[in-house]
Amino acid sequence: MSLRIPRNAQRVFYATESTTRTKPDGTVIRVAGREQRSTTFREAKAFLDGLGVPGGVTVWTERSQQTNAYADRHADGTWWALDRLTGTQVPLPDPEKRH
């Protein structure tokens, strides 16, 4: 799935699949797999949910010219985000389970 990102986009979300590889010495390392650029978090989340794999979403903003962690998808399908005030991981609510 390829999405066209507008040239003047102020935010770009990068969804990246997390995979592991084993080095010849037996050390397991985490490497990036498939990636998709999106204009919304919903599209990035749908990409990783569609693959059914763990991964992460980062966001690039035009104003700061920086990329920051946004949310992580764990292997069990739950989504977690970093609470920047406390430095802890907090679960993201599932919008389909809201009333």
Side-chain angles (χ1 to χ4, degrees):
M1 170 189 319
S2 177
L3 298 172
R4 180 165 157 53
I5 305 297
R7 187 180 303 252
N8 61 347
Q10 294 189 7
R11 289 177 133 191
V12 178
F13 292 87
Y14 294 88
T16 306
E17 170 190 18
S18 295
T19 59
T20 57
R21 294 222 168 91
T22 305
K23 289 179 156 182
D25 66 357
T27 307
V28 177
I29 58 171
R30 184 176 164 197
V31 296
R34 293 169 278 193
E35 182 178 273
Q36 175 183 307
R37 296 180 344 168
S38 305
T39 55
T40 65
F41 174 66
R42 179 176 286 170
E43 292 169 348
K45 183 178 181 299
F47 173 72
L48 290 175
D49 285 341
L51 292 175
V53 297
V57 175
T58 58
V59 62
W60 172 86
T61 55
E62 187 270 332
R63 174 179 263 171
S64 68
Q65 296 289 310
Q66 293 182 351
T67 302
N68 294 307
Y70 195 81
D72 290 316
R73 183 184 194 278
H74 292 212
D76 62 2
T78 58
W79 281 89
W80 295 77
L82 177 67
D83 181 345
R84 299 201 187 280
L85 294 175
T86 62
T88 60
Q89 293 281 329
V90 294
L92 287 179
D94 187 358
E96 295 166 3
K97 292 185 180 179
R98 291 184 187 174
H99 293 91

